[in-house]
Amino acid sequence: MKIQPSAQRHSSSAIRATGIIALVCMALLFAALAASINTKPYMPPNVAQRYMEHWLIESSRQVAGEVRLKHVRAIEPFYLRRDYQPVWMDSFEITDAGRELLQALRETAADDWRNYGYELPVLEREASRLSNIPKQATAVDVLLTDAFVTYAKQVLNSELLPDLNEGDHPIRRVASSSQDRLTANGISEERIVELLHESINRGELEHLIEQLTPSHPGYLQLRNELNRYRDIANSGLWYPLPADLSLQPGERHRQVPQLRWMLSQYGDLKKGALAWLFAEDKTLTQAPLEGEAVDLSQPQFLFDDALQQAVSYFQQRHQLPADGLISAETLQTLNIPPYQIAQRIAHNMKRWRHLPEHLGQRYVMVNMADYRLQLVDGGSTELDMKVIIGNAQRRTPVMAQTISTLELAPTWSVPRRIAVTSLLPKIKRNPDYLREKGYQVIGRVDGVDKFISPDDINWSRLSANYFPYRLIQKAGDDNALGTIKFLFPNDRDIYLHDTSQPELFNLDKRALSSGCVRVEQPRLLAEKLLRGQQGWNRHAIDSAIEQTRTTRIRLQEQVPVYLMYWTTWVDDKGALQIRDDVYKRDLIAGLPPSNPEA
């Protein structure tokens, strides 16, 4: 039977329509699948409320199965005011503010100085395995809020400034609002929770976390290095090199791949210009297993020029002789475990809390551990010079002050402790010592201060317990303060000054003074600080000094000065610098806490 053309046309149209419908359905199906993939799981408010109430009311002593909340009495009313809705969670994901808080907790606790009470192991565990389980997500939120209150109390009560009872730790204050500046004395958990509530209402939760954490570039650079060394420590690949390892250029050793791996992780072994184009040959950084037979003629076992250069970079960063050779001192430094370096980095990060948020357009920065002073202007280093700091018995304190006055050709009023401990023994040995060094003696006569001849004093009768005199050294070449001193207000009688012993700047270790900071180029520093001040150019400065004419000059523009102690910092080239802990202040890392959290 012959099919009519009209029937054929209807049949073809039906087939096309069916095909189109099928394509549309498939497109809709793929769109639905894509939408489901990109759609975040949602936690309904009533579900969040139910589990929040569970953790805060029924199970506050066993959050996530084991944590007893420290601040439940303060945070339960806080959650009640917000209908028990999460603070740090967006349904089942941690918010940006929550991640910032976690980072702050990690870097604060990383020095292991004390038990900080953040319950970080549980927090990290629960955060790492978050899934679409409301009970778990709300537990993380409650734990973060409890940890926040602990952390904020520590910051605002200055508990994060390690204090060795030196009285040298200024307080960093944090503003809670434009009307209110929080004091650092005993702020309560209720006030902190109120601060948290206010910040959420203003949409400034992330800003609050930032306020509680130093924002200086130096702090943030150390944060990156802290993460680097924690990653190395957690990699499971680090182990110390053999204690008897000795390498000369061109030699071969089975541990060379491990040395290469260590230096590449630390950032000392620079990658080649085309490293991005070729995959790294992992055999170069994989040490053989113990007892494994190896062919030392293979390239990975060669102590080559690139590796020697990397060792030299490592030595420079640690202020070791930069010869590129594996000396005993270099090997000992290489074998310091990365977790200990991470502890020191975290500890030094806390030292940034001594400083104000803005250091000033122009300031003087002294790093005692590096024995150096820098004059910084607009973020650029204008001067860089050596300094001499206090010895182990008379340590220079950490201090943030302002240079207000310069004194040219200064006299020196000798502090009593120096007079009786340092000068009195010299005077007893040599009766002419005072006259030779230009000292004058002042004593009380009939209730009036008068100059007394050293010859009229029986020095043998004097001691640390009985010394009724004051000593003043006249300006001149022998004056212990040298030609200039730089004054800033403090109750420790600390200042910057010149020295009559410039040869001491040739030493590498320069913890030699009685507490003040001696500067290598005092006249140049004075010239820079007096820049633009009428009548005080370099010629005028030199003239006053040469005439031993004691002159006080008040700076028209006072300059902040920071006496700091950093044993780790990141330099202008982005390299982590590490120095000896000359004052043994880093040793508190790892000690049992003196006031652990209950």
Side-chain angles (χ1 to χ4, degrees), residues 54-87:
H54 169 76
W55 293 127
L56 292 165
I57 299 173
E58 302 170 23
S59 300
S60 63
R61 298 189 178 191
Q62 288 186 311
V63 179
E66 57 184 293
V67 175
R68 179 175 180 171
L69 297 178
K70 298 175 180 61
H71 311 288
V72 65
R73 292 185 179 180
I75 65 176
E76 193 279 327
F78 161 75
Y79 275 105
L80 174 62
R81 291 170 69 181
R82 50 186 290 106
D83 296 326
Y84 293 98
Q85 295 309 296
V87 176

Side-chain angles (χ1 to χ4, degrees), residues 460-508:
S460 63
R461 294 179 55 233
L462 304 185
S463 66
N465 295 325
Y466 177 68
F467 192 86
Y469 303 105
R470 289 189 294 118
L471 303 180
I472 296 179
Q473 190 178 28
K474 294 182 291 186
D477 294 339
D478 290 325
N479 188 284
L481 304 184
T483 58
I484 308 176
K485 68 177 179 180
F486 306 81
L487 299 166
F488 40 89
N490 66 90
D491 59 1
R492 306 290 299 277
D493 202 21
I494 298 296
Y495 41 84
L496 311 181
H497 66 85
D498 185 15
T499 178
S500 58
Q501 299 174 290
E503 68 277 4
L504 296 178
F505 288 109
N506 294 325
L507 301 175
D508 291 331

